[in-house]
Every structure is written in structure tokens, then in C-alpha cells.
Amino acid sequence: MKYQDYVIKDGKFIGKFDEMYKKHSDPWRLLSKNKNKKNLNYQIIYNFCEQVSISKKSSILEIGCGFPQIINELHSRGFKTYGTDISKTVIDKSKKKYQKLKKKLFVSDFLNFELYEKLNPKIIILSDISWYVLSELKEFILWYKNLSTKTYLIHSLAVYGKNKQKYGKKYFYDLESIKSFFKLNFLASGYIENIDEDKHTFFLASNRK
């Protein structure tokens, strides 16, 4: 089976992430040495973190980190970083590969608010996971809006267009429908063309004006 078959197939969500990581050592092709340097999507995420951080002691949480290239890079820049993923397999592999992050990675489902509040991040990153948590996003957004402290949200997601997309288009299918769904205080947003043959949307938002 292709790694995609464990995720979304024929317009239906499969979500067998742990099986995928057991069968495919690098399903997202993220472990290339030059991946971070060439991926403009990642560079925008890094730049957002640099721009909104008053202090690099403020913590950053990536939810659904998979192999944690993003937070590993941010950690190398001096940020305090954490990552979560629903797959125990990928977290176990990542703890071995990224020794400096060993105590910063957690097996967790998407709505583990108790853990998030304990980590108390000033920035939350959702990078290409929203398609996999569509039914839980509204609950997450409500929790995020009600946080007692100002917290930034960085969101990145590949989109495929209303006519081409089979899965999830009742939720959103382009940048404007994503922003309409989240209804946040947006500080920046845009498209990136042709990233790994995808069209990527991104936004930086805050739960406080």
C-alpha cells in the first residue's frame, strides 16, 4: 500500500497513522537533509515564530508533529519547543533520532487540552494536519479562543480546489473558506504555489486583538 492509502483514500478519511509509520520509514519525505532549507512553507513558519516572539524562552507547540523537523529547527534557533503526535511509532522513532527533543515529544490525541495547558505554549503550530482532524477542529478553535493568555496560531495546509477536492470540502477548500471557518484575528495570510506539487495556504492568527 502507498502511504496515502493509510490516510485518505477515495475521498474518505482512513487515519491509520501508526500503521503508516510502521510500514513506511519516511512517508512524507521529510527526512531529506535539505528538506528544511528548500521548503518555503517551513521558512514562513520559522519567520512567523521569529516575528511574534518577545522572548525565545516562550514555548512553541507543534500539534501533529510527525517527524519533528519544524520544532527541531526552532529548537536549534534557541526556542523552547514541544511536539505531539497521535502515532506512538513516530514519536518513539523521533525520540531516538532527535535526542535533544527526547523529553519534549508526547503521544497525544488532538484534543488533549490538559496537556496543552500544562505546556503553556505562546505559539501553536498546525502544519498540514487539519484535513485529519476536521471533526474536532471546532472544539479546538473554541478552546483556543478562550485561552486566558495571548497565544498565536500558525496554520499551514495544502489545498486542492473546490472542483478537484473530494474530501472535506464542506469544511473548506481554499484560503478564504479556511479563514471563514476559523474566524480568528488574522495577522497575516497567503498562498504558496508549488510546494511539493501542492498549493499551500498559511495564516498567522492571535486569540487576542
Side-chain angles (χ1 to χ4, degrees):
M1 291 175 65
K2 298 184 295 184
Y3 79 85
Q4 293 95 333
D5 293 336
Y6 292 94
V7 183
I8 296 172
K9 186 176 182 180
D10 299 327
K12 296 182 179 180
F13 180 61
I14 307 300
K16 295 182 178 180
F17 294 101
D18 211 50
E19 289 185 39
M20 178 190 70
Y21 282 114
K22 288 177 180 177
K23 298 287 186 180
H24 297 271
S25 60
D26 186 16
W28 312 115
R29 296 176 294 166
L30 294 175
L31 300 182
S32 167
K33 291 181 179 179
N34 294 320
K35 183 69 176 182
N36 281 338
K37 295 179 180 179
K38 292 182 177 180
N39 193 318
L40 181 58
N41 181 43
Y42 286 6
Q43 298 304 322
I44 288 175
I45 292 173
Y46 304 150
N47 289 340
F48 280 160
C49 290
E50 297 277 4
Q51 290 168 12
V52 301
S53 294
I54 298 174
S55 169
K56 287 192 175 182
K57 292 182 180 179
S58 299
S59 62
I60 298 173
L61 168 65
E62 183 183 6
I63 301 173
C65 65
F67 289 110
Q69 285 80 12
I70 292 173
I71 59 170
N72 184 59
E73 172 64 23
L74 290 168
H75 181 270
S76 73
R77 298 186 184 200
F79 288 98
K80 183 179 179 182
T81 60
Y82 300 96
T84 69
D85 200 278
I86 196 170
S87 169
K88 183 178 185 299
T89 297
V90 79
I91 291 295
D92 288 345
K93 288 182 176 181
S94 296
K95 285 182 176 181
K96 293 178 180 178
K97 184 174 179 61
Y98 303 95
Q99 288 292 310
K100 292 181 180 180
L101 298 178
K102 189 173 183 179
K103 295 182 179 180
K104 308 294 185 179
L105 300 173
F106 303 89
V107 179
S108 170
D109 62 35
F110 181 64
L111 298 180
N112 192 348
F113 302 142
E114 183 178 357
L115 174 62
Y116 303 160
E117 290 170 13
K118 181 179 179 181
L119 298 177
N120 190 30
K122 298 305 177 188
I123 301 171
I124 297 173
I125 299 171
L126 300 181
S127 178
D128 280 311
I129 72 158
S130 287
W131 293 128
Y132 314 138
V133 292
L134 288 177
S135 64
E136 300 171 304
L137 271 177
K138 286 187 177 180
E139 188 174 350
F140 173 84
I141 294 167
L142 180 62
W143 167 81
Y144 169 71
K145 286 181 175 180
N146 289 322
L147 287 172
S148 59
T149 58
K150 187 173 185 178
T151 307
Y152 294 97
L153 178 65
I154 298 172
H155 184 272
S156 172
L157 191 67
V159 294
Y160 308 96
K162 187 176 183 180
N163 295 327
K164 183 179 178 181
Q165 186 172 318
K166 295 181 180 179
Y167 171 73
K169 63 183 178 182
K170 70 177 183 179
Y171 291 86
F172 37 71
Y173 47 84
D174 61 8
L175 180 60
E176 291 308 311
S177 56
I178 289 171
K179 292 172 70 175
S180 178
F181 182 87
F182 276 81
K183 293 183 174 67
L184 299 174
N185 176 37
F186 298 103
L187 306 177
S189 63
Y191 278 107
I192 314 170
E193 301 284 352
N194 298 321
I195 298 298
D196 294 334
E197 302 180 356
D198 290 329
K199 187 174 183 179
H200 259 76
T201 63
F202 64 86
F203 71 68
L204 169 67
S206 170
N207 63 339
R208 297 284 186 278
K209 291 185 178 180

